[in-house]
Amino acid sequence: MEGLLSVSVGTVFWASIAFISVLLILKKMAWGPILQTLEEREQGIANALKQAELAKEEMASLKSGNEQLLKEAREERELILKEAKEMGDKMRSEAKERAAREAAQLLANAQREIETQKKAAIEELKNQVATLSIEIAEKLVKDNLSDAEKQSALNSKLIQDLKAN
Amino acid sequence: MHFVQNTVGIMRSYLMLALMICGVVAYGQHDTHTVHEHTSKDTASVANVSHEEVAQEEEKFNPGAMIMHHISDAHQIHFIGKIYMPLPVILWNHGHLEVFMSSAFWNGFDEKGELQFKPYTASSGTTYENHHESIVVSSGESHEGHGAHAEHGAEVAHEKPMDFSITKSVFGMLFIIVLMVIIFRSVAARYREGANKAPTGLQNAIEPFILFVRDEVAIPSIGKKKAASFMPFLLTVFFFIWMCNMLGLIPFLGGFNITGTLSITLVLATLVFIITSINGNAHYWGHIFWPPGIPFGIKLILVPIEALSIFIKPTVLMIRLTANITAGHIIILAFVGLVLLFGQNSAIAGYGVGVGAVLFMIFMFFIELLVAFLQAYVFTLLAALYFGDATQEHHHEEDHH
């Protein structure tokens, strides 16, 4: 048991030198850079995650913006279509109205023309009838006046008519 | 905390087992000595005892000696069979330095294939001996080996030079340290390339453990702000203990028992003690030497206990690691010994026991792999807790005691 439980000065000496030197060497060469890099990497990962979160949010807001835009565009299209339709309707109805109005005017003009023509025709007819009547009357008168009896008879009749009137 | 308590529980039962086995080993060891001395005396006094007879008696396999041979520190590395690797012996003897290879002590092998030792006279003229792996100045007259020592009771009289040799444990430790520098430098090189590089290769293997030490050990024990300054020590100690433990589990590599060597764990524990004491703030020392809110009478009792606990804590740290690692080695070796012990009576018994023993050894190896990690973790965690205690600023009476 002597070898096992005794402490050897030489071994303690070498162990101290060896352990302290490896501690200092590794502290400078390995642990420093390793721990620092780990820290940096963790920070980097945390940052990256945060940025990803931000990007996600941005994407989400962008998407909702797009949707808003799309919705607005759709509404505008609706509106334009509606307006166009209204305008078309209006134009159509206006055209119809105008057509009706023109038709009515044409009709009225025609009627007026007809009326005028009719009046003129009647006038002419009247004139002709008058002329004809005069001519007939003339002939009759010529005929009747050549006979005294008949002349007197006519006279009396005319006078009678006058009287009657 | 739950996990720690569990671990401590397991450790306690484990330690008990280890101590029991240690007892057995100690007993065995004692036995060897008597047998050995007896044999030696015979050899020395009765010169005409036939060689075969001695060999016969020597042949008796002693598991205690075998186990101790494997777990104790040594001046050479024994791989397998007759393959040994010499290590440098560095001695400081009354003002002069002696440096030579431990192979200078080697004196061939005996019939059993065990390494024999002989004294060696260094260039300074002093003669040294490797006496049960502790280097002593030879008393001059007796150059005949172990027999002479036993007869003269020379173990007491021998003068020991200061031994700064690169022993098996020191060599293993230096090997681990070189390995650590190589591994972590190459890993750190990857980190130097920038934080945006994805981890690759060895870095992937190492990084979880670095993060484990930082996030599960240092930060919960010390606090996020102060943990950074203790991280280099905690990481070094964690990987050092773990790799040393693992090295000890590799068969045919000399049976390193680095973290089972008290001298080495003593250094680690002392560093923990020094760092704790240097970083201890007024609150920490105040709690030890003048605990607030406690009646004067009790203070008289409590203060010595608290003061002692400053030293007890690292001592426990030291013993726990040594005992756990040594115990693991002992258990595995004890089963090897069991096979050999039965095998020397009859080959069939040896094979019969061998099957069971090998199965159990496989099981033990898995446990040892776990313990190798667990002990590194526990040492690091407790060191971190002590650091946390020393640097704690606010009063947390309810979770403090």
Side-chain angles (χ1 to χ4, degrees), chain B residues 341-367:
Chain B
L341 205 59
F342 275 88
Q344 86 181 350
N345 291 332
S346 85
I348 297 166
Y351 283 119
V353 172
V355 173
V358 165
L359 284 177
F360 192 78
M361 271 190 278
I362 292 169
F363 169 69
M364 277 313 297
F365 257 109
F366 278 111
I367 300 239

Side-chain angles (χ1 to χ4, degrees), chain A residues 100-137:
Chain A
R101 207 164 50 234
E102 268 170 21
Q105 197 157 11
L106 271 170
L107 206 66
N109 283 353
Q111 268 172 350
R112 216 170 23 247
E113 190 72 10
I114 289 168
E115 205 65 36
T116 322
Q117 291 294 329
K118 201 167 95 184
K119 268 184 190 158
I122 290 170
E123 201 69 28
E124 206 169 309
L125 204 64
K126 267 183 183 167
N127 284 347
Q128 272 187 352
V129 168
T131 326
L132 278 173
S133 305
I134 290 169
E135 273 173 13
I136 291 165

Side-chain angles (χ1 to χ4, degrees), chain A residues 74-85:
Chain A
R74 206 174 284 142
E75 271 170 13
E76 207 173 300
R77 191 190 64 179
E78 283 304 273
L79 199 72
I80 289 169
L81 271 177
K82 204 170 136 200
E83 271 174 9
K85 201 175 161 196

Side-chain angles (χ1 to χ4, degrees), chain A residues 1-42 44, chain B residues 68 71 73 90 163-166 170 173-174 177 180-181 184-185 188 191-192 194-195 199 203 207 210-211 214 231-233 235-237 239-240 262-264 266-268 271 326:
Chain A
M1 295 300 279
E2 186 207 288
L4 197 62
L5 291 184
S6 66
V7 169
S8 143
V9 179
T11 311
V12 168
F13 170 76
W14 286 116
S16 312
I17 289 184
F19 188 82
I20 290 172
S21 57
V22 78
L23 175 62
L24 295 179
I25 291 171
L26 288 186
K27 186 178 179 180
K28 192 167 183 298
M29 282 182 155
W31 305 135
I34 289 176
L35 290 170
Q36 196 193 332
T37 309
L38 281 176
E39 194 86 10
E40 274 169 22
R41 192 203 293 160
E42 268 158 23
Chain B
M68 291 315 289
I71 62 174
D73 209 354
I90 303 166
D163 189 353
F164 291 100
S165 303
I166 307 295
V170 174
M173 185 174 62
L174 295 176
I177 277 168
M180 277 175 82
V181 170
F184 291 110
R185 263 194 68 186
Y191 284 96
R192 271 182 221 272
Q203 195 186 3
E207 194 176 303
I210 295 175
L211 290 176
R214 193 190 64 180
M231 277 306 288
F233 178 79
L235 283 170
T236 312
V237 109
F239 283 106
F240 177 73
L262 210 57
S263 311
I264 290 171
L266 173 78
V267 171
L268 298 181
L271 283 174
T326 306

